[in-house]
Amino acid sequence: MDLDLSGRSALVTGGGKGIGAAISRELSEMGARVVINYRSDQAAAAATAAALGNVQTFGADVGDPEQVARMVAETGPFDVVVNNAGMLRDRLLLRMTADDWDQVLRTDLSAAFHVTKAVVPHMLKRRWGRIVNISSIVGLGGNPGQANYAAAKAGLVGLTKSVAKELGSRNINCNVVAPGYVHTELTASSMTEEMLAELIKLTPLRRQGQAEEIAAAVAFLCSPAASFITGAVLVVDGGLAA
């Protein structure tokens, strides 16, 4: 199986910690030059980069198209892009503010649009590209208290399928990875032990996922081995949504 990305350049948004760090590590080990994007946690991004070779970091709010354009101009061009940046502002619908809605849609959905639009011209010239958007099983089935997050993650699926159809003729593949509940700092801060125990009980594999397991799925979709896969949604959830 051809998983070699030597000579390729990759951008991972939100790539400094959690799932993003695992993805950055996997792509680097496959031979790609990796740029780790971060918005606020420079220390985490620097620590991840320091443990890897051929990696640099760049601070930018990917919800801002001007910052995205500067990042791509200064660190690109890119052959591989993983739109992983995300945030949570969980509240029940009647308590959710307009700002809660806007900020999550901006970071979890609009950012993927801005980044994809910025990197595609180079991919078109080279007639080769891999775009992977990190959604969630919440975007496929919804979840109480996460209307904003679910809408954003569902929107990524629609964005992905549209981009796949627009760019497939130029050998640019665009896919989604939809993780289930994975052990990260973000999920740990948003779930009680009781909630986690119930989710594990409902998961056929009877455990949480690990960031490295999501990264392995992303790495496959970024590799030459996945050359005939585009517009797909790869669910990596231990069977929770089965």
Side-chain angles (χ1 to χ4, degrees), residues 83-103:
N83 287 305
N84 169 74
M87 66 177 295
L88 294 171
R89 282 200 183 179
D90 295 352
R91 284 186 175 88
L92 293 174
L93 180 66
L94 293 179
R95 295 181 179 178
M96 188 173 290
T97 67
D99 189 57
D100 292 332
W101 176 271
D102 291 342
Q103 290 303 317

Side-chain angles (χ1 to χ4, degrees), residues 13 39 61-64 83-90 100-114 133-136 138-139 146-157 159-160 186:
T13 69
R39 182 175 66 177
D61 178 356
V62 287
D64 180 343
N83 287 305
N84 169 74
M87 66 177 295
L88 294 171
R89 282 200 183 179
D90 295 352
D100 292 332
W101 176 271
D102 291 342
Q103 290 303 317
V104 170
L105 268 290
R106 180 179 187 272
T107 301
D108 293 39
L109 177 59
S110 296
F113 163 73
H114 298 316
N133 296 320
I134 306 301
S135 181
S136 167
V138 173
Q146 292 190 306
N148 49 3
Y149 183 75
K153 294 302 187 179
L156 282 176
V157 175
L159 172 65
T160 298
L186 186 64

Side-chain angles (χ1 to χ4, degrees), residues 10-197:
L11 170 66
V12 183
T13 69
K17 56 187 179 181
I19 291 173
I23 293 169
S24 298
R25 187 177 306 111
E26 192 77 24
L27 296 180
S28 175
E29 291 175 355
M30 292 165 68
R33 175 184 73 87
V34 178
V35 174
I36 294 174
N37 157 260
Y38 65 92
R39 182 175 66 177
S40 57
D41 198 339
Q42 182 179 12
T48 299
L52 304 173
N54 204 23
V55 174
Q56 69 182 103
T57 65
F58 194 95
D61 178 356
V62 287
D64 180 343
E66 293 184 0
Q67 292 188 46
V68 169
R70 187 177 75 251
M71 175 175 64
V72 172
E74 293 184 17
T75 64
F78 296 104
D79 307 297
V80 174
V81 170
V82 182
N83 287 305
N84 169 74
M87 66 177 295
L88 294 171
R89 282 200 183 179
D90 295 352
R91 284 186 175 88
L92 293 174
L93 180 66
L94 293 179
R95 295 181 179 178
M96 188 173 290
T97 67
D99 189 57
D100 292 332
W101 176 271
D102 291 342
Q103 290 303 317
V104 170
L105 268 290
R106 180 179 187 272
T107 301
D108 293 39
L109 177 59
S110 296
F113 163 73
H114 298 316
V115 172
T116 300
K117 185 176 179 182
V119 301
V120 159
H122 168 73
M123 295 179 178
L124 289 171
K125 289 178 183 177
R126 296 197 68 175
R127 299 185 71 87
W128 197 96
R130 297 287 187 270
I131 302 165
V132 178
N133 296 320
I134 306 301
S135 181
S136 167
I137 59 167
V138 173
L140 306 180
N143 201 38
Q146 292 190 306
N148 49 3
Y149 183 75
K153 294 302 187 179
L156 282 176
V157 175
L159 172 65
T160 298
K161 290 180 178 291
S162 297
V163 170
K165 290 180 178 180
E166 285 188 27
L167 303 179
S169 64
R170 297 297 185 92
N171 198 32
I172 299 171
N173 297 21
C174 187
N175 293 291
V176 167
V177 170
Y181 289 89
V182 177
H183 180 67
T184 66
E185 179 182 319
L186 186 64
T187 55
S189 65
S190 63
M191 296 177 62
T192 65
E193 290 186 10
E194 292 77 13
M195 292 167 62
L196 177 58

